[in-house]
PDB file of all heavy atoms in Angstrom:
ATOM      1  N   HIS A 110      49.536-122.493  17.384  1.00 95.00           N
ATOM      2  CA  HIS A 110      50.133-121.500  16.540  1.00 95.00           C
ATOM      3  C   HIS A 110      50.514-120.341  17.478  1.00 95.00           C
ATOM      4  O   HIS A 110      49.876-120.129  18.504  1.00 95.00           O
ATOM      5  CB  HIS A 110      49.217-120.941  15.499  1.00 95.00           C
ATOM      6  CG  HIS A 110      48.778-121.889  14.395  1.00 95.00           C
ATOM      7  ND1 HIS A 110      49.343-121.904  13.161  1.00 95.00           N
ATOM      8  CD2 HIS A 110      47.875-122.893  14.418  1.00 95.00           C
ATOM      9  CE1 HIS A 110      48.763-122.826  12.432  1.00 95.00           C
ATOM     10  NE2 HIS A 110      47.837-123.491  13.151  1.00 95.00           N
ATOM     11  N   GLN A 111      51.487-119.509  17.069  1.00 93.00           N
ATOM     12  CA  GLN A 111      51.681-118.249  17.759  1.00 93.00           C
ATOM     13  C   GLN A 111      50.616-117.284  17.278  1.00 93.00           C
ATOM     14  O   GLN A 111      50.657-116.880  16.147  1.00 93.00           O
ATOM     15  CB  GLN A 111      53.080-117.714  17.444  1.00 93.00           C
ATOM     16  CG  GLN A 111      54.212-118.473  18.155  1.00 93.00           C
ATOM     17  CD  GLN A 111      55.562-117.969  17.743  1.00 93.00           C
ATOM     18  OE1 GLN A 111      55.772-117.748  16.572  1.00 93.00           O
ATOM     19  NE2 GLN A 111      56.464-117.840  18.662  1.00 93.00           N
ATOM     20  N   TRP A 112      49.596-116.879  18.036  1.00 92.00           N
ATOM     21  CA  TRP A 112      49.208-117.367  19.337  1.00 92.00           C
ATOM     22  C   TRP A 112      47.735-117.647  19.324  1.00 92.00           C
ATOM     23  O   TRP A 112      46.959-116.897  19.807  1.00 92.00           O
ATOM     24  CB  TRP A 112      49.552-116.253  20.374  1.00 92.00           C
ATOM     25  CG  TRP A 112      51.062-116.102  20.549  1.00 92.00           C
ATOM     26  CD1 TRP A 112      51.863-116.891  21.345  1.00 92.00           C
ATOM     27  CD2 TRP A 112      51.895-115.196  19.870  1.00 92.00           C
ATOM     28  NE1 TRP A 112      53.174-116.508  21.164  1.00 92.00           N
ATOM     29  CE2 TRP A 112      53.253-115.469  20.256  1.00 92.00           C
ATOM     30  CE3 TRP A 112      51.734-114.227  18.929  1.00 92.00           C
ATOM     31  CZ2 TRP A 112      54.357-114.757  19.826  1.00 92.00           C
ATOM     32  CZ3 TRP A 112      52.842-113.488  18.447  1.00 92.00           C
ATOM     33  CH2 TRP A 112      54.144-113.759  18.897  1.00 92.00           C
ATOM     34  N   TRP A 113      47.435-118.797  18.788  1.00 95.00           N
ATOM     35  CA  TRP A 113      46.031-119.218  18.743  1.00 95.00           C
ATOM     36  C   TRP A 113      46.001-120.730  18.509  1.00 95.00           C
ATOM     37  O   TRP A 113      47.045-121.362  18.263  1.00 95.00           O
ATOM     38  CB  TRP A 113      45.305-118.488  17.590  1.00 95.00           C
ATOM     39  CG  TRP A 113      45.889-118.708  16.247  1.00 95.00           C
ATOM     40  CD1 TRP A 113      46.993-118.138  15.776  1.00 95.00           C
ATOM     41  CD2 TRP A 113      45.385-119.541  15.226  1.00 95.00           C
ATOM     42  NE1 TRP A 113      47.209-118.593  14.466  1.00 95.00           N
ATOM     43  CE2 TRP A 113      46.245-119.446  14.141  1.00 95.00           C
ATOM     44  CE3 TRP A 113      44.248-120.400  15.136  1.00 95.00           C
ATOM     45  CZ2 TRP A 113      46.041-120.158  12.932  1.00 95.00           C
ATOM     46  CZ3 TRP A 113      44.088-121.122  13.943  1.00 95.00           C
ATOM     47  CH2 TRP A 113      44.950-120.970  12.836  1.00 95.00           C
ATOM     48  N   TRP A 114      44.806-121.303  18.689  1.00 96.00           N
ATOM     49  CA  TRP A 114      44.637-122.750  18.539  1.00 96.00           C
ATOM     50  C   TRP A 114      43.807-123.054  17.335  1.00 96.00           C
ATOM     51  O   TRP A 114      42.699-122.561  17.139  1.00 96.00           O
ATOM     52  CB  TRP A 114      43.935-123.314  19.774  1.00 96.00           C
ATOM     53  CG  TRP A 114      44.525-122.949  21.079  1.00 96.00           C
ATOM     54  CD1 TRP A 114      44.240-121.866  21.854  1.00 96.00           C
ATOM     55  CD2 TRP A 114      45.553-123.655  21.808  1.00 96.00           C
ATOM     56  NE1 TRP A 114      44.962-121.867  22.994  1.00 96.00           N
ATOM     57  CE2 TRP A 114      45.767-122.963  22.967  1.00 96.00           C
ATOM     58  CE3 TRP A 114      46.259-124.827  21.528  1.00 96.00           C
ATOM     59  CZ2 TRP A 114      46.739-123.383  23.893  1.00 96.00           C
ATOM     60  CZ3 TRP A 114      47.192-125.265  22.456  1.00 96.00           C
ATOM     61  CH2 TRP A 114      47.399-124.550  23.642  1.00 96.00           C
ATOM     62  N   ASN A 127      40.318-121.859  18.605  1.00 95.00           N
ATOM     63  CA  ASN A 127      40.284-121.375  19.981  1.00 95.00           C
ATOM     64  C   ASN A 127      39.141-121.860  20.851  1.00 95.00           C
ATOM     65  O   ASN A 127      39.232-121.814  22.079  1.00 95.00           O
ATOM     66  CB  ASN A 127      40.292-119.831  20.023  1.00 95.00           C
ATOM     67  CG  ASN A 127      41.479-119.293  19.247  1.00 95.00           C
ATOM     68  OD1 ASN A 127      42.570-119.840  19.313  1.00 95.00           O
ATOM     69  ND2 ASN A 127      41.268-118.234  18.476  1.00 95.00           N
ATOM     70  N   GLY A 186      40.850-122.754  29.705  1.00 94.00           N
ATOM     71  CA  GLY A 186      42.224-123.191  29.861  1.00 94.00           C
ATOM     72  C   GLY A 186      43.120-122.205  29.122  1.00 94.00           C
ATOM     73  O   GLY A 186      42.644-121.198  28.582  1.00 94.00           O
ATOM     74  N   GLN A 187      44.420-122.544  29.111  1.00 93.00           N
ATOM     75  CA  GLN A 187      45.305-121.685  28.382  1.00 93.00           C
ATOM     76  C   GLN A 187      46.602-122.386  28.045  1.00 93.00           C
ATOM     77  O   GLN A 187      46.863-123.492  28.595  1.00 93.00           O
ATOM     78  CB  GLN A 187      45.619-120.453  29.220  1.00 93.00           C
ATOM     79  CG  GLN A 187      46.403-120.755  30.472  1.00 93.00           C
ATOM     80  CD  GLN A 187      46.391-119.541  31.409  1.00 93.00           C
ATOM     81  OE1 GLN A 187      45.355-119.130  31.943  1.00 93.00           O
ATOM     82  NE2 GLN A 187      47.562-118.981  31.553  1.00 93.00           N
ATOM     83  N   CYS A 188      47.341-121.797  27.117  1.00 96.00           N
ATOM     84  CA  CYS A 188      48.675-122.384  26.824  1.00 96.00           C
ATOM     85  C   CYS A 188      49.509-122.380  28.057  1.00 96.00           C
ATOM     86  O   CYS A 188      49.564-121.335  28.769  1.00 96.00           O
ATOM     87  CB  CYS A 188      49.284-121.595  25.680  1.00 96.00           C
ATOM     88  SG  CYS A 188      50.850-122.231  25.161  1.00 96.00           S
ATOM     89  N   CYS A 192      55.626-119.436  24.848  1.00 96.00           N
ATOM     90  CA  CYS A 192      55.722-119.618  23.367  1.00 96.00           C
ATOM     91  C   CYS A 192      55.893-118.245  22.673  1.00 96.00           C
ATOM     92  O   CYS A 192      55.663-118.172  21.483  1.00 96.00           O
ATOM     93  CB  CYS A 192      54.551-120.334  22.858  1.00 96.00           C
ATOM     94  SG  CYS A 192      52.932-119.596  23.305  1.00 96.00           S
ATOM     95  N   GLY A 193      56.318-117.211  23.383  1.00 94.00           N
ATOM     96  CA  GLY A 193      56.499-115.961  22.748  1.00 94.00           C
ATOM     97  C   GLY A 193      55.709-114.873  23.494  1.00 94.00           C
ATOM     98  O   GLY A 193      55.033-115.088  24.485  1.00 94.00           O
ATOM     99  N   THR A 194      55.751-113.652  22.878  1.00 92.00           N
ATOM    100  CA  THR A 194      55.211-112.497  23.610  1.00 92.00           C
ATOM    101  C   THR A 194      53.742-112.593  23.991  1.00 92.00           C
ATOM    102  O   THR A 194      53.338-112.047  25.013  1.00 92.00           O
ATOM    103  CB  THR A 194      55.400-111.169  22.768  1.00 92.00           C
ATOM    104  OG1 THR A 194      54.880-111.455  21.461  1.00 92.00           O
ATOM    105  CG2 THR A 194      56.835-110.773  22.647  1.00 92.00           C
ATOM    106  N   GLN A 195      52.963-113.269  23.170  1.00 93.00           N
ATOM    107  CA  GLN A 195      51.531-113.349  23.471  1.00 93.00           C
ATOM    108  C   GLN A 195      51.113-114.687  24.075  1.00 93.00           C
ATOM    109  O   GLN A 195      49.941-115.100  24.002  1.00 93.00           O
ATOM    110  CB  GLN A 195      50.701-113.069  22.209  1.00 93.00           C
ATOM    111  CG  GLN A 195      50.645-111.557  21.949  1.00 93.00           C
ATOM    112  CD  GLN A 195      50.022-110.772  23.043  1.00 93.00           C
ATOM    113  OE1 GLN A 195      49.028-111.197  23.661  1.00 93.00           O
ATOM    114  NE2 GLN A 195      50.574-109.621  23.416  1.00 93.00           N
ATOM    115  N   HIS A 196      52.081-115.392  24.701  1.00 94.00           N
ATOM    116  CA  HIS A 196      51.797-116.657  25.387  1.00 94.00           C
ATOM    117  C   HIS A 196      50.630-116.512  26.330  1.00 94.00           C
ATOM    118  O   HIS A 196      49.750-117.400  26.433  1.00 94.00           O
ATOM    119  CB  HIS A 196      53.084-117.096  26.101  1.00 94.00           C
ATOM    120  CG  HIS A 196      52.834-118.036  27.196  1.00 94.00           C
ATOM    121  ND1 HIS A 196      52.409-119.326  27.022  1.00 94.00           N
ATOM    122  CD2 HIS A 196      52.978-117.861  28.562  1.00 94.00           C
ATOM    123  CE1 HIS A 196      52.263-119.903  28.254  1.00 94.00           C
ATOM    124  NE2 HIS A 196      52.665-119.067  29.160  1.00 94.00           N
ATOM    125  N   ALA A 197      50.559-115.348  27.069  1.00 92.00           N
ATOM    126  CA  ALA A 197      49.505-115.171  28.028  1.00 92.00           C
ATOM    127  C   ALA A 197      48.157-114.980  27.384  1.00 92.00           C
ATOM    128  O   ALA A 197      47.131-115.102  28.054  1.00 92.00           O
ATOM    129  CB  ALA A 197      49.847-114.006  28.931  1.00 92.00           C
ATOM    130  N   HIS A 198      48.129-114.595  26.100  1.00 92.00           N
ATOM    131  CA  HIS A 198      46.881-114.492  25.387  1.00 92.00           C
ATOM    132  C   HIS A 198      46.661-115.583  24.418  1.00 92.00           C
ATOM    133  O   HIS A 198      46.497-115.337  23.206  1.00 92.00           O
ATOM    134  CB  HIS A 198      46.793-113.067  24.704  1.00 92.00           C
ATOM    135  CG  HIS A 198      46.602-111.964  25.645  1.00 92.00           C
ATOM    136  ND1 HIS A 198      47.149-110.759  25.459  1.00 92.00           N
ATOM    137  CD2 HIS A 198      45.944-111.941  26.800  1.00 92.00           C
ATOM    138  CE1 HIS A 198      46.827-109.947  26.470  1.00 92.00           C
ATOM    139  NE2 HIS A 198      46.094-110.651  27.329  1.00 92.00           N
ATOM    140  N   MET A 199      46.743-116.785  24.913  1.00 94.00           N
ATOM    141  CA  MET A 199      46.522-117.948  24.064  1.00 94.00           C
ATOM    142  C   MET A 199      45.524-118.816  24.849  1.00 94.00           C
ATOM    143  O   MET A 199      45.846-119.872  25.372  1.00 94.00           O
ATOM    144  CB  MET A 199      47.847-118.687  23.805  1.00 94.00           C
ATOM    145  CG  MET A 199      47.773-119.631  22.649  1.00 94.00           C
ATOM    146  SD  MET A 199      49.391-120.149  22.111  1.00 94.00           S
ATOM    147  CE  MET A 199      48.907-121.626  21.247  1.00 94.00           C
ATOM    148  N   LEU A 200      44.343-118.266  24.953  1.00 94.00           N
ATOM    149  CA  LEU A 200      43.345-118.860  25.843  1.00 94.00           C
ATOM    150  C   LEU A 200      42.555-119.906  25.076  1.00 94.00           C
ATOM    151  O   LEU A 200      42.348-119.847  23.884  1.00 94.00           O
ATOM    152  CB  LEU A 200      42.386-117.816  26.416  1.00 94.00           C
ATOM    153  CG  LEU A 200      43.072-116.598  27.079  1.00 94.00           C
ATOM    154  CD1 LEU A 200      42.035-115.732  27.741  1.00 94.00           C
ATOM    155  CD2 LEU A 200      44.081-117.071  28.161  1.00 94.00           C
ATOM    156  N   LEU A 201      42.013-120.833  25.839  1.00 95.00           N
ATOM    157  CA  LEU A 201      41.267-121.954  25.313  1.00 95.00           C
ATOM    158  C   LEU A 201      39.904-121.951  25.964  1.00 95.00           C
ATOM    159  O   LEU A 201      39.791-121.733  27.174  1.00 95.00           O
ATOM    160  CB  LEU A 201      41.910-123.235  25.741  1.00 95.00           C
ATOM    161  CG  LEU A 201      42.863-123.953  24.820  1.00 95.00           C
ATOM    162  CD1 LEU A 201      43.592-125.004  25.599  1.00 95.00           C
ATOM    163  CD2 LEU A 201      42.147-124.611  23.674  1.00 95.00           C
ATOM    164  N   LEU A 266      37.551-113.364  20.058  1.00 92.00           N
ATOM    165  CA  LEU A 266      38.486-113.229  18.955  1.00 92.00           C
ATOM    166  C   LEU A 266      39.903-113.101  19.468  1.00 92.00           C
ATOM    167  O   LEU A 266      40.108-112.710  20.599  1.00 92.00           O
ATOM    168  CB  LEU A 266      38.066-112.082  18.004  1.00 92.00           C
ATOM    169  CG  LEU A 266      38.303-110.626  18.466  1.00 92.00           C
ATOM    170  CD1 LEU A 266      39.714-110.160  18.019  1.00 92.00           C
ATOM    171  CD2 LEU A 266      37.296-109.712  17.797  1.00 92.00           C
ATOM    172  N   GLY A 267      40.857-113.432  18.614  1.00 90.00           N
ATOM    173  CA  GLY A 267      42.252-113.340  19.029  1.00 90.00           C
ATOM    174  C   GLY A 267      42.629-114.255  20.162  1.00 90.00           C
ATOM    175  O   GLY A 267      43.371-113.895  21.079  1.00 90.00           O
ATOM    176  N   ALA A 268      42.097-115.503  20.159  1.00 92.00           N
ATOM    177  CA  ALA A 268      42.340-116.483  21.206  1.00 92.00           C
ATOM    178  C   ALA A 268      42.072-115.895  22.604  1.00 92.00           C
ATOM    179  O   ALA A 268      42.864-115.902  23.521  1.00 92.00           O
ATOM    180  CB  ALA A 268      43.806-117.008  21.187  1.00 92.00           C
ATOM    181  N   GLY A 269      40.875-115.318  22.697  1.00 90.00           N
ATOM    182  CA  GLY A 269      40.435-114.786  24.019  1.00 90.00           C
ATOM    183  C   GLY A 269      40.854-113.346  24.300  1.00 90.00           C
ATOM    184  O   GLY A 269      40.686-112.839  25.403  1.00 90.00           O
ATOM    185  N   ALA A 270      41.423-112.660  23.238  1.00 88.00           N
ATOM    186  CA  ALA A 270      41.858-111.266  23.451  1.00 88.00           C
ATOM    187  C   ALA A 270      40.613-110.367  23.707  1.00 88.00           C
ATOM    188  O   ALA A 270      40.728-109.362  24.410  1.00 88.00           O
ATOM    189  CB  ALA A 270      42.636-110.771  22.259  1.00 88.00           C
ATOM    190  N   ALA A 271      39.466-110.700  23.133  1.00 90.00           N
ATOM    191  CA  ALA A 271      38.285-109.823  23.288  1.00 90.00           C
ATOM    192  C   ALA A 271      37.050-110.658  22.989  1.00 90.00           C
ATOM    193  O   ALA A 271      37.111-111.654  22.290  1.00 90.00           O
ATOM    194  CB  ALA A 271      38.350-108.629  22.431  1.00 90.00           C
ATOM    195  N   TRP A 281      40.050-104.549  16.001  1.00 92.00           N
ATOM    196  CA  TRP A 281      41.070-105.570  15.718  1.00 92.00           C
ATOM    197  C   TRP A 281      41.694-105.350  14.281  1.00 92.00           C
ATOM    198  O   TRP A 281      42.911-105.388  14.118  1.00 92.00           O
ATOM    199  CB  TRP A 281      40.413-106.910  15.843  1.00 92.00           C
ATOM    200  CG  TRP A 281      41.288-108.079  15.477  1.00 92.00           C
ATOM    201  CD1 TRP A 281      41.371-108.748  14.263  1.00 92.00           C
ATOM    202  CD2 TRP A 281      42.280-108.747  16.316  1.00 92.00           C
ATOM    203  NE1 TRP A 281      42.280-109.751  14.306  1.00 92.00           N
ATOM    204  CE2 TRP A 281      42.826-109.761  15.514  1.00 92.00           C
ATOM    205  CE3 TRP A 281      42.693-108.530  17.638  1.00 92.00           C
ATOM    206  CZ2 TRP A 281      43.824-110.602  16.065  1.00 92.00           C
ATOM    207  CZ3 TRP A 281      43.690-109.352  18.121  1.00 92.00           C
ATOM    208  CH2 TRP A 281      44.252-110.383  17.354  1.00 92.00           C
ATOM    209  N   ARG A 287      47.381-103.451  18.750  1.00 90.00           N
ATOM    210  CA  ARG A 287      46.951-102.705  19.907  1.00 90.00           C
ATOM    211  C   ARG A 287      46.242-103.607  20.938  1.00 90.00           C
ATOM    212  O   ARG A 287      46.412-103.435  22.078  1.00 90.00           O
ATOM    213  CB  ARG A 287      46.045-101.560  19.464  1.00 90.00           C
ATOM    214  CG  ARG A 287      46.411-100.325  20.272  1.00 90.00           C
ATOM    215  CD  ARG A 287      45.804 -99.170  19.687  1.00 90.00           C
ATOM    216  NE  ARG A 287      45.029 -98.528  20.702  1.00 90.00           N
ATOM    217  CZ  ARG A 287      44.370 -97.422  20.501  1.00 90.00           C
ATOM    218  NH1 ARG A 287      44.393 -96.827  19.323  1.00 90.00           N
ATOM    219  NH2 ARG A 287      43.716 -96.891  21.491  1.00 90.00           N
ATOM    220  N   MET A 288      45.441-104.546  20.361  1.00 90.00           N
ATOM    221  CA  MET A 288      44.740-105.435  21.275  1.00 90.00           C
ATOM    222  C   MET A 288      45.604-106.543  21.715  1.00 90.00           C
ATOM    223  O   MET A 288      45.363-107.172  22.765  1.00 90.00           O
ATOM    224  CB  MET A 288      43.497-105.953  20.541  1.00 90.00           C
ATOM    225  CG  MET A 288      42.351-104.971  20.484  1.00 90.00           C
ATOM    226  SD  MET A 288      41.096-105.473  19.338  1.00 90.00           S
ATOM    227  CE  MET A 288      40.150-106.600  20.353  1.00 90.00           C
ATOM    228  N   LYS A 289      46.617-106.897  20.899  1.00 91.00           N
ATOM    229  CA  LYS A 289      47.427-108.024  21.183  1.00 91.00           C
ATOM    230  C   LYS A 289      48.833-107.790  20.720  1.00 91.00           C
ATOM    231  O   LYS A 289      49.198-108.191  19.591  1.00 91.00           O
ATOM    232  CB  LYS A 289      46.824-109.248  20.475  1.00 91.00           C
ATOM    233  CG  LYS A 289      47.230-110.572  21.007  1.00 91.00           C
ATOM    234  CD  LYS A 289      46.315-111.752  20.534  1.00 91.00           C
ATOM    235  CE  LYS A 289      46.940-113.036  20.918  1.00 91.00           C
ATOM    236  NZ  LYS A 289      46.075-114.155  20.610  1.00 91.00           N
ATOM    237  N   PRO A 290      49.655-107.024  21.543  1.00 91.00           N
ATOM    238  CA  PRO A 290      50.970-106.621  21.074  1.00 91.00           C
ATOM    239  C   PRO A 290      51.824-107.801  20.628  1.00 91.00           C
ATOM    240  O   PRO A 290      51.943-108.788  21.377  1.00 91.00           O
ATOM    241  CB  PRO A 290      51.547-105.928  22.283  1.00 91.00           C
ATOM    242  CG  PRO A 290      50.380-105.528  23.105  1.00 91.00           C
ATOM    243  CD  PRO A 290      49.334-106.581  22.878  1.00 91.00           C
ATOM    244  N   GLY A 291      52.387-107.687  19.438  1.00 89.00           N
ATOM    245  CA  GLY A 291      53.275-108.793  18.963  1.00 89.00           C
ATOM    246  C   GLY A 291      52.554-109.755  18.041  1.00 89.00           C
ATOM    247  O   GLY A 291      53.144-110.599  17.393  1.00 89.00           O
ATOM    248  N   VAL A 292      51.185-109.589  17.942  1.00 91.00           N
ATOM    249  CA  VAL A 292      50.397-110.498  17.101  1.00 91.00           C
ATOM    250  C   VAL A 292      50.946-110.544  15.658  1.00 91.00           C
ATOM    251  O   VAL A 292      51.479-109.518  15.163  1.00 91.00           O
ATOM    252  CB  VAL A 292      48.918-110.074  17.088  1.00 91.00           C
ATOM    253  CG1 VAL A 292      48.752-108.708  16.352  1.00 91.00           C
ATOM    254  CG2 VAL A 292      47.983-111.089  16.500  1.00 91.00           C
TER     255      VAL A 292
END
Side-chain angles (χ1 to χ4, degrees):
H110 293 259
Q111 285 175 318
W112 291 276
W113 60 283
W114 306 91
N127 304 321
Q187 64 193 69
C188 182
C192 54
T194 50
Q195 282 300 319
H196 157 69
H198 287 146
M199 197 166 159
L200 308 186
L201 264 167
L266 74 88
W281 176 262
R287 219 165 126 179
M288 282 167 83
K289 200 164 169 174
V292 68

